[in-house]
């Protein structure tokens, strides 16, 4: 069942961010755009490449008013240890959510049979509603740069009711206004 158009699961969890342990709840995501990037496990192989890539897009996402969260079923203590140990992960400035109870991953329907989070990426609007999602197999890493255009499109559609963004849409390009006159003309 798709989570598109549905409100995110309520949660409260421990997290690691910039050398500190903090508490984060689903309420903290509301009022701004957010990205949650689920991944299987700390101290693994594809995961650090993805999270480092996401850090590479973090400044651009922040400029767009987007907050970024990574999430695995590891504890916040393990996130800190990984941050202290890994050259790739030590660069991360965004919040790393801990989900040892599997509540968050289950609520986003990305928990696998081994109790690990799948590679799920979710774009959430300021109302806490899922606007885009992607789930990849374990061996397929994600490209965080793809989030930029998706978020720009989501923000545009939100602020321009009745318009939609076509494939490969870039900010400033033409959009479409679905209507009877447009049927069969694309």
């Amino acid at each position: 069942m798709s989570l598109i158009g549905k409100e995110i699961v309520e949660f409260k969890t421990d997290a690691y961010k910039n050398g500190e342990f903090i508490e984060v709840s689903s309420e903290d995501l509301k009022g701004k755009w957010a990205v949650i990037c689920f991944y299987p496990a700390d101290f693994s192989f594809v995961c650090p490449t993805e999270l480092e890539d996401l850090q590479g897009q973090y400044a651009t996402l922040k400029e767009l008013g987007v907050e970024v969260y990574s999430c695995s079923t590891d504890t916040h203590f393990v996130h800190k240890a990984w941050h202290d140990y890994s050259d790739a992960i030590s660069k991360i400035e965004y919040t790393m959510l801990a989900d040892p109870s599997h509540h968050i991953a289950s609520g986003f329907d990305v928990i696998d049979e081994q109790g690990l989070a799948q590679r799920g990426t979710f774009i959430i609007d300021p109302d806490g509603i899922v606007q885009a999602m992607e789930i990849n197999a374990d061996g397929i890493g994600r490209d965080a740069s793809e989030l930029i255009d998706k978020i720009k499109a989501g923000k545009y559609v939100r602020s321009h009711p009745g318009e939609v963004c076509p494939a490969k849409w870039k900010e400033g390009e033409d959009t479409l206004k679905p209507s009877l006159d447009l049927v069969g003309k694309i």
Side-chain angles (χ1 to χ4, degrees):
M1 177 182 245
S2 175
L3 296 177
I4 299 297
K6 295 188 173 69
E7 190 168 357
I8 63 170
V9 63
E10 288 186 21
F11 68 86
K12 185 185 291 186
T13 192
D14 293 317
Y16 178 76
K17 182 176 184 174
N18 294 330
E20 295 183 349
F21 293 135
I22 61 173
E23 188 174 87
V24 176
S25 76
S26 50
E27 287 300 310
D28 295 321
L29 277 67
K30 293 187 179 173
K32 58 190 163 284
W33 286 83
V35 169
I36 299 182
C37 180
F38 288 92
Y39 64 96
D42 293 1
F43 294 97
S44 58
F45 311 101
V46 175
C47 300
T49 67
E50 290 184 309
L51 298 185
E52 182 180 30
D53 180 54
L54 187 57
Q55 176 60 40
Q57 299 298 323
Y58 187 52
T60 302
L61 291 164
K62 291 290 284 182
E63 287 172 13
L64 290 171
V66 178
E67 191 49 65
V68 175
Y69 303 87
S70 62
C71 186
S72 76
T73 55
D74 297 292
T75 67
H76 56 302
F77 300 115
V78 179
H79 291 337
K80 182 197 182 311
W82 196 26
H83 194 274
D84 291 348
Y85 181 80
S86 168
D87 290 339
I89 301 305
S90 67
K91 299 173 186 173
I92 292 176
E93 299 170 350
Y94 53 81
T95 304
M96 300 178 77
L97 302 175
D99 187 25
S101 70
H102 304 172
H103 174 73
I104 304 169
S106 293
F108 280 87
D109 199 24
V110 293
I111 197 76
D112 71 13
E113 294 170 358
Q114 297 175 327
L116 300 175
Q118 295 172 315
R119 295 188 194 290
T121 307
F122 296 84
I123 297 173
I124 302 158
D125 75 15
D127 297 320
I129 306 298
V130 177
Q131 294 298 320
M133 61 184 274
E134 175 183 12
I135 301 173
N136 292 5
D138 282 345
I140 302 171
R142 294 163 281 186
D143 180 348
S145 69
E146 295 173 354
L147 292 169
I148 306 301
D149 288 336
K150 288 179 186 178
I151 289 166
K152 287 179 179 180
K155 291 176 86 169
Y156 184 90
V157 169
R158 181 180 170 93
S159 64
H160 295 85
E163 293 184 46
V164 297
C165 296
K168 297 184 181 184
W169 180 85
K170 302 287 185 203
E171 189 173 36
E173 293 181 350
D174 290 339
T175 58
L176 301 172
K177 293 183 181 179
S179 69
L180 184 60
D181 296 336
L182 192 60
V183 174
K185 301 215 166 105
I186 297 176

